[in-house]
Amino acid sequence: IKLKWGKVTGASGYTIYMSTSRDGKYKKVKSLGKNAKGVTLKKYGKSRLNKSKTYYIKVVAKIKVGKKTITNDTQVINYNY
């Protein structure tokens, strides 16, 4: 799965989460630096992605405000691999 996004102003990094159900528990699959604009995902957990499954993906931007790190509102991406 290839993901691309626009840079979020003030972001100190991005975290990618995946799930196999929209309302299920999301697993953290990747952390990226502040200059990241995309990523290619090949695995979910220890397994390769399965073409017959639907994956739900969240890209969360981390923004530092003083000593606190906050996250942006996320949008769930439905991806039929």
Side-chain angles (χ1 to χ4, degrees):
I1 299 173
K2 290 183 181 182
L3 301 173
K4 291 184 181 182
W5 57 86
K7 184 174 168 66
V8 175
T9 304
S12 61
Y14 301 88
T15 306
I16 313 297
Y17 297 92
M18 287 180 72
S19 177
T20 53
S21 68
R22 183 174 180 82
D23 298 322
K25 187 172 180 176
Y26 283 77
K27 283 186 182 180
K28 178 179 169 182
V29 293
K30 201 91 156 164
S31 289
L32 303 165
K34 65 181 180 179
N35 295 321
K37 293 182 183 174
V39 66
T40 299
L41 303 172
K42 296 180 181 181
K43 289 187 174 187
Y44 177 63
K46 294 182 180 183
S47 303
R48 291 187 61 79
L49 297 179
N50 186 335
K51 290 186 179 189
S52 64
K53 283 192 175 184
T54 299
Y55 296 96
Y56 299 86
I57 302 164
K58 292 181 182 181
V59 178
V60 180
K62 298 178 282 184
I63 303 167
K64 285 207 170 199
V65 178
K67 293 184 179 181
K68 292 184 180 181
T69 299
I70 60 172
T71 58
N72 69 334
D73 291 336
T74 59
Q75 181 177 353
V76 176
I77 301 164
N78 177 355
Y79 192 87
N80 294 322
Y81 179 65

